Amino acid sequence: NTPADFKRDFSDLMIVFGAPSADGAESDPLMGETLYPVARPAVARKIKDPGDLLDFPLIEVATHRAGWTQFFETYALRSVRAKFIYTDSSLMAFALAQHSEKIALARAPASDTAMQAAGLQPCLPDYQIEGVQSYHIIYTNRTHLRPAVRKTRDWLLETFTQKQESHLKFK
């Protein structure tokens, strides 16, 4: 089973988020994600330890597999006091956090630009978790990629490998 865009010869390769095997194509890992709490600077300054997060509404992106539950489990926090607000995208989560006393989860490095544009900053710079999903380049068959498409694939892999390495240096 291959994605409809491949069946119609519409796409030579695609970037997908999640499990590449679900699309029935060959793939290369592109980048993972690191999750950490972000808020407006005035709110972020009020957060001194992970338990302080529970004093604020937490924005959860319902379409992602990893979120606040995994964050709480990683840091052994009891989330029974947590007040969740659900949204369908990180962009909406950032917009809500930008104009309120709510806290969102950044999904770096993919969300870095949107987080900065919303004026958000990390609440607890030393507290972060690795996401369970990642980005992949998918295509029907590596050996049959046209030269220009192969060059694009190679450029994407090189570019994102360098971005991941530089992102890790600044954590």
Side-chain angles (χ1 to χ4, degrees), residues 60-83:
E60 180 78 285
V61 178
T63 55
H64 288 286
R65 284 189 182 158
W68 286 109
T69 300
Q70 291 74 22
F71 186 87
F72 292 144
E73 287 172 0
T74 299
Y75 293 106
L77 289 172
R78 292 182 33 93
S79 61
V80 291
R81 286 188 15 235
K83 299 172 285 275

Side-chain angles (χ1 to χ4, degrees):
N1 228 4
T2 59
D5 286 343
F6 288 149
K7 289 179 183 175
R8 292 192 300 263
D9 291 329
F10 181 73
S11 298
D12 290 308
L13 56 86
M14 292 186 281
I15 297 174
V16 298
F17 179 73
S21 60
D23 292 307
E26 291 187 35
S27 67
D28 294 300
L30 198 54
M31 67 179 176
E33 63 177 0
T34 301
L35 284 62
Y36 54 90
V38 295
R40 294 181 322 149
V43 175
R45 284 191 295 273
K46 296 177 185 178
I47 310 297
K48 304 295 183 211
D49 65 67
D52 293 342
L53 295 167
L54 299 173
D55 296 332
F56 297 88
L58 305 172
I59 306 165
E60 180 78 285
V61 178
T63 55
H64 288 286
R65 284 189 182 158
W68 286 109
T69 300
Q70 291 74 22
F71 186 87
F72 292 144
E73 287 172 0
T74 299
Y75 293 106
L77 289 172
R78 292 182 33 93
S79 61
V80 291
R81 286 188 15 235
K83 299 172 285 275
F84 294 104
I85 295 172
Y86 295 91
T87 185
D88 65 349
S89 73
S90 292
L91 291 178
M92 180 58 76
F94 292 162
L96 288 168
Q98 178 182 21
H99 299 289
S100 69
E101 297 280 308
K102 298 172 180 66
I103 301 172
L105 278 175
R107 295 171 182 281
S111 69
D112 290 352
T113 301
M115 181 193 75
Q116 291 165 358
L120 304 177
Q121 68 180 47
C123 297
L124 298 163
D126 296 330
Y127 290 84
Q128 54 193 4
I129 63 168
E130 293 303 312
V132 296
Q133 295 176 295
S134 58
Y135 292 86
H136 302 267
I137 303 171
I138 64 170
Y139 37 85
T140 55
N141 186 316
R142 182 176 302 152
T143 59
H144 294 103
L145 289 176
R146 294 179 294 132
V149 175
R150 182 178 298 282
K151 197 173 201 175
T152 300
R153 173 193 164 270
D154 293 346
W155 176 83
L156 284 166
L157 289 171
E158 181 180 326
T159 300
F160 280 92
T161 299
Q162 290 172 357
K163 279 189 179 246
Q164 285 286 89
E165 289 171 358
S166 69
H167 180 72
L168 292 173
K169 289 178 189 173
F170 295 110
K171 278 188 179 178

